[in-house]
Amino acid sequence: MMKSISILAAAGIALLSSTAAFAGDVRIMWYSDGVEGQVFKDLIARFQKDNPDIKVTVDEVAYSTIKEQLPVQLAAGNGPDIARVTNLKSLSQYWLDLTPYLKDVDFWKKNYGDQMDWMRPDGSNIIPGFMTQITLTGGFVNKTLFDQAGVALPGEKATWDEWVAASEKVAKSQQVPYAFAIDRSGHRITGPAISYGANYIGKDGMPAPLDDAAKKYLTQLIKWNADGVSDKDVWVSASGTTYKPAADDFINAQVVMYYAGSWQIPNFMTKIGTNFDWVAIGSPCGPAACTGMPGGAGLVAMKDTKNPKDVAKVMEFLASTPIAKEFAERTLFLPSNKEVVAGGLDFKTDNKLAKEALNTFVKATTTTAPEALKLPGWKWSDTYYGALVSRVGQAMAGEMTAEEAFKRIDSDIAEKVKAAK
Amino acid sequence: MKANGLLSASQTALMAVVARVMGIIDVPLRYLQRKTGQSGMAAFFLAPNMAIFAVFVLVPFVINFVYSLTGGSAIFLSDRSFVGAQQYSEIFACGNYLDPNSCKQDVFWIAAGNTAAFVVLQVSLMIVAALITALILNREIIGRSFWRAVFFFPVLLSPVVTGLIWRWIFQRQGVLNAVMQGLGLEPHDWLTERNSAFFASIGVSIWAHVGFYTLILLAGLQAIPKDLYEAAQMDGTSRQRVFWRITLPLLMPNLIVVLVLALIKAVQIFDEAFVLTHGGPGTSTMYLVQYIYETGFASELRNPGLAAAASILMGAVLVVLTLAQMAASRKNEKKGAR
């Protein structure tokens, strides 16, 4: 009898321990836009060689997994030890404060301090991680199509209307299905909205109702879609808050102009190759600004980790200046580490188009509007973005008018704010 | 070795072991039967199954119901506040139930309307398709086994694979538009036009499941006594009359099973439709399960309590359908007994 109980107990323990982390285990959830997954794995392999007592596992997942499944895993206490995340602020209650485990806290504050508020709960002073790259939203155009159509690229201060009109001419001339595409994402449409003069943050720091400038831009976006100017497949063929990029349509020369961001540069360099020439154009202007939206992905440690010391060791390695420099140079991402920026970068590419695009985005950072700079560290950004995407998507599909969509956006956000109180 | 129907030595030994084990088990079972009677024994033998049912169905149902009475975005019940029937009143807060835009949770009612339309169209078309397929496959046609396998094959596919295959066919630069252009026809936006996307989701769902229902009907057709057809033939009865007076009435039990199973499956539509259309264009192919998934898990405006309330309401619909099936089956059995 005792033997049977012992066997059952051992089986129970084995079952329970199969889901628990062992000492020295660090699990990282990672998504890739381009080649950075391979670079990251190389760096982790190097870390493993020097630290054989720590077993690092990298789970490469789709971006949608980070957006949709990671929050649920974290809420249930089953998340990874480290994750690469973009919705850094709204999930900040799950991040670990690395401060007690770091050897050189000042290094982190000095080099990564500028973006630390993007990933902290409001009023907190914790160090949860660092930005693996800084991004800025902006446009790209298929220059080969422009050249073939004999249409000149609108200049630096050209407006949204001018860029879209020029792209429309090219699309008609070259029989390309759509003139323009923008990712199905609230973050992506916010840069142009701010260029039109939109402001999401109320005086009390809470979400403000959609203002006239935002409505003007969104009305224009809905109209471009209805007129067949913008790529219907991206916004219309999905529902709710589903994220959908239009990168493949641009890569396949199905759209002339594509509004995404700096993170697409390595992707285009690899996938477009020599098929056609493409250029980054920064953010077209609206009546108020010519701004993109800053952002990026951060690598953050999780509060529920069983091995905070090992996690901190991995994070210190990845955040160190030489590793951050190598990561940026090999992935063509804009770094956030100040020492890396100050020391200059030698991007590992001889691709002229990619280098020019990187320079364009670096230049575009100088025109980023203050309203845009506030949003990455604002608690309600994701709530706002979610409401924008789902309701604008419905309006584009003809399920409601633009005015009805605006009312719904305001009520969705108000409801969420109320639920959070 | 077995010779002349006698058991070999090893088999005899095995039987002796089995008999001994059964003898040991027999003692407590006899005692139990003495104490509890025959009905107690029935409960005893049903207990393992009921325990599994309780763990995997009843307990989750109760937990889900409790969730539907709570608010907030936290996952753990201990972190959630009790709000009573607020989630249900949110769902039912409508100016006019036929106009989702007048409802507070408009997307729920859009999803409910889409699901209702999907169920009516998909189930009726599916039954017709399955019946026709079964009638054809029941005849002496060339390569009958091959055709049976062909119709059943999609049932074996993962719904995600099914959704992806058909997405590649229907997308703007997909196979279907390529064929249409090859024939000199204008390409069509199958997945970005509301009606096309809705009917595409119905068509794909029928394609994926018709084989299963065909199989059930085929079994029913083969169980109909041949002599009935022979008698009808001798009487010179027309083929149409044979179908309406012999085949269809005798196939009714199978048709009822198919109807109810197809209804339940259709109400639960999610995976292949989600992969195919992502619920779009707009919300025109957003069905109830996707609404529950999005509300509870995927949305940036996550609300597990509302999702739980919606799933309880959907569960209620499924219970009604199951009761209808049971009632229909009983009625049919009584009819058969008469």
Side-chain angles (χ1 to χ4, degrees):
Chain A
M1 186 67 176
M2 280 305 288
K3 199 178 169 188
S4 308
I5 292 171
S6 306
I7 291 167
L8 277 173
I13 290 165
L15 194 70
L16 288 173
S17 61
S18 65
T19 54
F22 291 104
D25 274 1
V26 174
R27 190 167 278 278
I28 304 176
M29 189 184 270
W30 180 272
Y31 79 90
S32 296
D33 285 313
V35 296
E36 70 270 30
Q38 195 48 53
V39 176
F40 185 71
K41 280 185 194 165
D42 284 354
L43 297 174
I44 289 294
R46 206 178 302 162
F47 173 82
Q48 286 264 242
K49 210 174 164 188
D50 297 339
N51 299 275
D53 51 326
I54 301 175
K55 188 187 165 212
V56 184
T57 308
V58 179
D59 294 323
E60 270 205 276
V61 297
Y63 179 61
S64 57
T65 306
I66 298 279
K67 274 199 78 179
E68 294 172 8
Q69 292 178 26
L70 180 66
V72 180
Q73 288 183 14
L74 292 173
N78 290 325
D81 300 296
I82 297 171
R84 186 179 190 225
V85 179
T86 54
N87 43 347
L88 290 154
K89 189 77 174 183
S90 60
L91 296 172
S92 57
Q93 73 267 31
Y94 301 114
W95 307 158
L96 171 74
D97 182 10
L98 289 165
T99 311
Y101 308 103
L102 296 174
K103 282 181 195 154
D104 187 355
V105 173
D106 288 340
F107 167 85
W108 284 69
K109 285 182 179 168
K110 194 179 103 193
N111 286 297
Y112 295 107
D114 284 357
Q115 293 85 30
M116 216 51 98
D117 274 343
W118 295 7
M119 53 180 91
R120 285 172 175 151
D122 283 348
S124 151
N125 212 22
I126 66 166
I127 299 178
F130 66 98
M131 299 298 288
T132 56
Q133 94 251 42
I134 297 293
T135 60
L136 187 69
T137 60
F140 298 90
V141 292
N142 184 324
K143 190 171 176 296
T144 301
L145 286 175
F146 266 87
D147 291 344
Q148 284 171 358
V151 176
L153 292 174
E156 249 182 53
K157 294 276 174 189
T159 63
W160 270 97
D161 286 344
E162 286 165 345
W163 272 108
V164 171
S167 302
E168 217 180 334
K169 267 189 205 166
V170 174
K172 271 185 192 153
S173 146
Q174 300 302 300
Q175 295 184 323
V176 173
Y178 295 110
F180 143 77
I182 186 166
D183 291 341
R184 194 177 196 275
S185 149
H187 175 261
R188 227 65 85 236
I189 60 174
T190 292
I194 293 173
S195 293
Y196 272 65
N199 179 27
Y200 298 169
I201 309 175
K203 281 181 186 159
D204 56 354
M206 297 303 285
L210 274 182
D211 55 27
D212 289 342
K215 286 178 184 174
K216 192 176 172 193
Y217 169 68
L218 295 174
T219 306
Q220 182 64 72
L221 191 63
I222 294 165
K223 188 175 179 300
W224 280 330
N225 189 78
D227 295 345
V229 176
S230 72
D231 190 343
K232 268 187 183 179
D233 275 2
V234 180
W235 275 80
V236 177
S237 65
S239 67
T241 56
T242 307
Y243 168 73
K244 213 172 169 208
D248 285 346
D249 282 346
F250 184 72
I251 290 165
N252 292 318
Q254 294 297 299
V255 291
V256 180
M257 175 184 164
Y258 171 40
Y259 193 81
S262 55
W263 61 93
Q264 290 289 1
I265 294 171
N267 193 29
F268 291 165
M269 192 184 80
T270 319
K271 290 184 181 164
I272 296 174
T274 54
N275 291 346
F276 60 82
D277 286 349
W278 50 277
V279 289
I281 58 165
S283 281
C285 297
C290 315
T291 187
M293 268 298 295
L299 203 62
V300 281
M302 306 298 158
K303 206 189 270 181
D304 283 335
T305 180
K306 303 281 185 296
N307 304 312
K309 282 183 188 166
D310 296 329
V311 165
K313 216 169 172 184
V314 176
M315 294 292 275
E316 277 184 321
F317 169 79
L318 293 167
S320 65
T321 301
I323 296 298
K325 185 173 189 292
E326 184 182 337
F327 181 78
E329 286 175 344
R330 288 176 64 189
T331 57
L332 309 187
F333 285 154
L334 306 176
S336 64
N337 183 311
K338 277 190 177 169
E339 269 179 19
V340 174
V341 177
L345 287 145
D346 175 21
F347 286 113
K348 304 291 180 214
T349 177
D350 49 9
N351 187 309
K352 205 174 134 230
L353 300 175
K355 281 193 168 180
E356 279 174 9
L358 282 164
N359 287 332
T360 305
F361 275 103
V362 170
K363 204 174 161 192
T365 55
T366 58
T367 61
T368 307
E371 291 81 4
L373 287 167
K374 280 181 200 164
L375 288 175
W378 188 48
K379 186 183 170 186
W380 299 102
S381 296
D382 286 335
T383 304
Y384 223 108
Y385 298 157
L388 283 175
V389 170
S390 57
R391 297 307 182 177
V392 169
Q394 279 185 271
M396 283 180 177
E399 287 179 3
M400 52 175 68
T401 64
E403 275 308 317
E404 284 167 343
F406 300 153
K407 275 183 199 157
R408 284 286 181 183
I409 289 168
D410 287 341
S411 65
D412 285 351
I413 295 168
E415 200 179 297
K416 185 68 183 170
V417 170
K418 194 178 146 198
K421 277 179 183 170
Chain B
M1 271 253 231
K2 201 159 77 169
N4 301 327
L6 294 173
L7 293 175
S8 67
S10 58
Q11 284 171 327
T12 311
L14 184 68
M15 287 304 290
V17 172
V18 171
R20 191 164 173 79
V21 171
M22 294 309 288
I24 295 168
I25 295 171
D26 197 42
V27 177
L29 287 183
R30 275 182 187 281
Y31 176 76
L32 197 68
Q33 191 171 1
R34 259 200 317 276
K35 287 283 174 193
T36 61
Q38 273 196 342
S39 58
M41 289 307 286
F44 174 76
F45 285 116
L46 280 173
N49 205 11
M50 294 310 285
I52 291 170
F53 176 79
V55 170
F56 292 106
V57 179
L58 206 59
V59 173
F61 175 81
V62 173
I63 293 174
N64 195 41
F65 181 69
V66 175
Y67 263 91
S68 74
L69 304 176
T70 61
S73 59
I75 293 284
F76 288 121
L77 264 179
S78 53
D79 301 332
R80 300 178 60 78
S81 53
F82 180 78
V83 295
Q86 192 189 310
Q87 305 288 12
Y88 294 94
S89 52
E90 283 267 317
I91 288 176
F92 287 105
C94 263
N96 172 8
Y97 289 112
L98 296 176
D99 175 17
N101 280 336
S102 70
C103 302
K104 199 170 176 193
Q105 294 300 329
D106 59 329
V107 182
F108 171 85
W109 289 101
I110 291 171
N114 289 344
T115 309
F118 179 88
V119 167
V120 171
L121 285 168
Q122 194 257 14
V123 172
S124 45
L125 291 172
M126 170 95 83
I127 289 176
V128 172
L131 184 59
I132 292 170
T133 316
L135 287 168
I136 294 169
L137 293 179
N138 195 39
R139 306 181 81 175
E140 294 293 333
I141 54 169
I142 299 166
R144 187 165 69 165
S145 301
F146 169 76
W147 291 114
R148 284 180 182 176
V150 165
F151 278 95
F152 192 72
F153 178 70
V155 179
L156 303 175
L157 291 178
S158 144
V160 175
V161 173
T162 301
L164 277 176
I165 289 171
W166 283 96
R167 190 172 177 83
W168 291 330
I169 291 172
F170 282 127
Q171 66 191 12
R172 195 178 66 221
Q173 290 189 298
V175 178
L176 187 56
N177 274 346
V179 171
M180 286 176 71
Q181 279 175 308
L183 296 171
L185 299 167
E186 277 291 305
H188 182 73
D189 286 336
W190 299 101
L191 299 179
T192 55
E193 201 275 311
R194 294 173 57 80
N195 289 333
S196 311
F198 178 69
F199 283 104
S201 72
I202 289 176
V204 170
S205 175
I206 291 175
W207 180 85
H209 301 291
V210 74
F212 176 68
Y213 301 111
T214 299
L215 206 66
I216 297 174
L217 295 181
L218 199 55
L221 285 173
Q222 288 175 353
I224 299 173
K226 293 273 183 293
D227 50 1
L228 289 176
Y229 290 111
E230 285 164 8
Q233 203 177 9
M234 285 169 71
D235 289 345
T237 315
S238 71
R239 286 170 75 171
Q240 272 187 344
R241 200 171 161 81
V242 167
F243 173 76
W244 291 110
R245 293 301 171 107
I246 298 175
T247 308
L248 209 54
L250 291 175
L251 199 58
M252 205 45 82
N254 297 63
L255 274 171
I256 289 170
V257 170
V258 166
L259 173 69
V260 176
L261 289 180
L263 273 174
I264 292 171
K265 186 89 183 158
V267 174
Q268 296 170 326
I269 176 74
F270 174 56
D271 25 28
E272 62 246 17
F274 182 66
V275 175
L276 181 73
T277 62
H278 294 291
T283 51
S284 56
T285 57
M286 180 181 271
Y287 302 113
L288 267 177
V289 179
Q290 189 190 339
Y291 170 81
I292 292 165
Y293 166 69
E294 296 244 336
T295 307
F297 303 104
S299 166
E300 275 150 353
L301 311 168
R302 203 170 6 258
N303 188 342
L306 191 65
S311 72
I312 291 286
L313 294 174
M314 199 182 102
V317 173
L318 290 175
V319 167
V320 170
L321 290 177
T322 310
L323 291 174
Q325 183 228 352
M326 288 166 75
S329 298
R330 275 195 206 115
K331 199 176 164 190
N332 208 50
E333 275 167 23
K334 277 181 193 166
K335 222 174 167 184
R338 265 187 251 140

